Amino acid sequence: AGTGIGFANESDYPGDVIGIGTITKATNVGDRSEKVENPLILNFNLDDVAKANLAGARAEMNVLIDDHIITCLDFEDFGARTIMQNCGQISTDSFVQVALALAYYRDQGKIASGYETASTRGFFHGRTETIRAQSIHTKHMCEGFESNMDRTELEKVVRKAADYHRNYLRRCMAGNGSDRLLLGLKMIAMENGIPLHPFYSDKAYTYSGDFTLSTSQMPFGVEDAPGFGAYSPNAYGCCYRFTHKDRIIGIITSRRVSNKSNDAVRFSETIKQAFRDLYAVLAHPASKL
């Protein structure tokens, strides 16, 4: 709960700047427990150096905000419940991930270097691992949609891409991912003055780590849109959740100044169409939503 409150307060500043209001002034948040004490305001004695650093940080923050396109993904056609009922054995998160891959392919004309967060909280001190959602099956799926592949064959390649993602997610959550291990080895070498292995400068490795589609699913089916910024000029940020009202909502972000080829608003609409197209292929009988 404390983390949530802290996040809400941290979100108020950019929320005011971009005109969506503040989280901490929300209503209908439940009855307050009498056991909760009023928070204490901490008054900091700041010297001129600290004040100058804060002013500089605020200026940098404003530049970063101005560089962002932020839009809400509000998809009301269907959500997790409908996908589970009508699309057979497919993970709802895998459904979204292959849809995001298809949307990126349509938006940029190539396969994304994709990142999704996996939780490793099942382990002591566990935090996250990287799910690399894209695969050769994703490529075949995207090409199949764009070449008007037969629906039966297209369903097969979609399910292969989704199964690959689901199995990769399971491996990551079981502690069998690779990215955090490789990062740990790299940091140990750098901290101890050990030359890095040539693997870390390999073209394929560096390319695969320059994520152009950074994604995360948030838990809890509440009706608020989670989000984060595009972590680099080349990337789209995509944070989403399934709601209790059988919807998919989230925040899509991109850069407007440092990358003029990405457009979060355009991408959001492309994602919605990818949802519909995937559903039309996977739903039995085929649904015309």
Side-chain angles (χ1 to χ4, degrees):
T3 302
I5 294 170
F7 174 79
N9 281 281
E10 290 170 5
S11 301
D12 279 353
Y13 174 68
D16 277 337
V17 170
I18 65 175
I20 62 173
T22 62
I23 295 174
T24 51
K25 296 178 182 178
T27 58
N28 298 322
V29 293
D31 295 331
R32 172 179 169 155
S33 170
E34 295 299 327
K35 297 180 181 179
V36 178
E37 297 180 358
N38 288 325
L40 298 176
I41 296 177
L42 299 179
N43 295 310
F44 293 92
N45 295 319
L46 303 176
D47 59 20
D48 291 341
V49 174
K51 291 178 180 178
N53 288 337
L54 287 171
R58 179 180 286 269
E60 291 181 13
M61 182 75 163
N62 286 333
V63 170
L64 191 59
I65 291 172
D66 291 340
D67 193 24
H68 267 80
I69 300 173
I70 304 173
T71 191
C72 182
L73 171 69
D74 188 0
F75 186 73
E76 298 181 322
D77 293 24
F78 57 84
R81 184 168 62 249
T82 299
I83 293 170
M84 289 187 291
Q85 288 175 347
N86 298 338
C87 293
Q89 297 296 316
I90 186 171
S91 158
T92 52
D93 187 56
S94 297
F95 179 97
V96 170
Q97 285 294 322
V98 295
L100 292 176
L102 176 60
Y104 186 92
Y105 185 81
R106 289 172 169 174
D107 186 80
Q108 297 290 316
K110 59 184 178 181
I111 301 298
S113 175
Y115 170 95
E116 184 187 8
T117 305
S119 172
T120 55
R121 294 287 188 177
F123 296 92
F124 186 56
H125 291 321
R127 290 184 62 94
T128 65
E129 180 56 275
T130 298
I131 306 170
R132 293 182 173 270
Q134 277 66 47
S135 66
I136 189 63
H137 307 297
T138 308
K139 181 175 184 292
H140 292 161
M141 178 200 70
C142 293
E143 293 172 346
F145 269 102
E146 300 311 290
S147 63
N148 297 316
M149 181 184 289
D150 173 78
R151 180 179 182 273
T152 301
E153 292 303 312
L154 187 55
E155 181 178 357
K156 291 179 181 179
V157 296
V158 169
R159 293 193 182 278
K160 282 184 179 180
D163 287 344
Y164 177 90
H165 168 266
R166 180 192 60 193
N167 292 330
Y168 202 113
L169 166 61
R170 289 175 174 174
R171 293 200 303 271
C172 288
M173 294 183 68
N176 294 320
S178 60
D179 279 79
R180 297 298 183 264
L181 170 63
L182 293 172
L183 175 62
L185 293 173
K186 179 179 180 180
M187 298 306 297
I188 291 172
M190 294 175 65
E191 291 171 1
N192 291 276
I194 302 172
L196 291 178
H197 192 278
F199 171 80
Y200 288 101
S201 58
D202 181 83
K203 183 178 180 180
Y205 178 77
T206 55
Y207 179 82
S208 69
D210 183 16
F211 297 110
T212 56
L213 181 60
S214 182
T215 73
S216 183
Q217 180 192 167
M218 296 295 288
F220 312 117
V222 295
E223 294 288 323
D224 72 319
F228 50 80
Y231 92 102
S232 77
N234 295 328
Y236 278 116
C238 181
C239 192
Y240 57 93
R241 67 161 36 108
F242 299 99
T243 78
H244 295 311
K245 295 183 179 180
D246 203 29
R247 299 164 57 205
I248 305 172
I249 61 174
I251 296 292
I252 311 299
T253 56
S254 64
R255 301 291 183 92
R256 77 168 80 238
V257 178
S258 53
N259 185 337
K260 298 185 183 302
S261 67
N262 289 1
D263 185 329
V265 176
R266 181 188 70 217
F267 189 49
S268 178
E269 294 303 313
T270 308
I271 291 170
K272 293 177 183 178
Q273 188 58 48
F275 286 160
R276 298 184 187 105
D277 292 345
L278 272 180
Y279 186 88
V281 169
L282 297 174
H284 292 280
S287 175
K288 297 181 180 179
L289 286 171

